Amino acid sequence: MEVREVGGSHLLLHPEGSILVDCGDGVATLWQALDLPRNGPDAIVFTSGAARRVAGVYALLSLLSGTPRDRPLSLYHCLANARLPDLVAAWAQAESSLGFPLEVEAEHPGADIIVGPFRAQSFPVHRPTGGLAWRFEVGARVIAFAGEAIPGPGVEKACRGAELAVVSGDHHVVETDLELWACAPWRQT
């Protein structure tokens, strides 16, 4: 399994499938520049509905809409976030005649999904707008993503035992035990 940064988003690549974590602005341009799979990922999961996490969805769908797919592109987002469904609806209204197969799934924290070789689990995270941390397992390999999560049980569960954990530290300043956060058994990037 390989992890590639695509702007502020991340792509998990495996010979049997791929998952994009978040889809920020500029992902479509980078997708072409980095020579990533022409038919796109098998799924996109979102850590939140924040603009920096979903702003590139319309452009990526437009880029991929002309490519043949065996299966629909699945988009998984937190049930509480409405921004992604609104973006997808706007794209579908403007470009629905292209017949691009797409599924949008609203997930509750605790969802367990299978995408190709990936087992993905979502965990609730503490942030003002809600959201999810995601834990991806392929065999014994574990990688976790939590976006702008504030340290808490959901982030800890998602990151426990992961060989790589991507947690953005640029969220609102909150009162928390930063020493515990810094000493936690995962890598903060």
Side-chain angles (χ1 to χ4, degrees):
M1 175 171 45
E2 177 186 356
V3 179
R4 304 219 19 213
E5 186 173 1
V6 184
S9 303
H10 293 83
L11 179 65
L12 283 70
L13 288 165
H14 185 277
E16 298 173 30
S18 62
I19 296 179
L20 181 64
V21 180
D22 294 323
C23 189
D25 195 29
V27 167
T29 302
L30 288 168
W31 197 272
Q32 289 179 302
L34 296 172
D35 196 30
L36 296 171
R38 284 182 348 111
N39 64 342
D42 295 303
I44 305 173
V45 301
F46 296 90
T47 57
S48 79
R52 66 181 280 183
R53 301 292 176 194
V54 302
V57 169
Y58 193 107
L60 185 62
L61 291 176
S62 295
L63 173 70
L64 301 176
S65 64
T67 60
R69 294 184 63 90
D70 295 333
R71 297 180 306 272
L73 172 61
S74 298
L75 307 179
Y76 297 96
H77 69 100
C78 186
L79 183 62
N81 296 320
R83 186 173 284 141
L84 177 69
D86 291 346
L87 284 169
V88 172
W91 175 82
Q93 183 177 5
E95 303 189 35
S96 64
S97 64
L98 298 174
F100 185 75
L102 185 64
E103 295 176 345
V104 180
E105 303 286 337
E107 297 296 341
H108 289 283
D112 195 355
I113 60 174
I114 304 294
V115 176
F118 301 96
R119 176 178 179 234
Q121 296 173 282
S122 66
F123 297 87
V125 296
H126 180 67
R127 68 168 63 95
T129 59
L132 302 170
W134 288 93
R135 176 185 179 90
F136 301 95
E137 299 176 10
V138 176
R141 298 192 70 191
V142 177
I143 296 178
F145 295 88
E148 296 95 4
I150 296 169
V155 174
E156 184 175 341
K157 287 177 187 174
C159 296
R160 187 173 293 132
E163 63 186 83
L164 173 66
V166 179
V167 181
S168 184
D170 59 351
H171 204 282
H172 306 285
V173 176
V174 296
E175 301 233 354
T176 186
D177 185 350
L178 293 177
E179 186 174 311
L180 175 64
W181 177 239
C183 297
W186 59 77
R187 178 177 159 203
Q188 181 179 357
T189 58

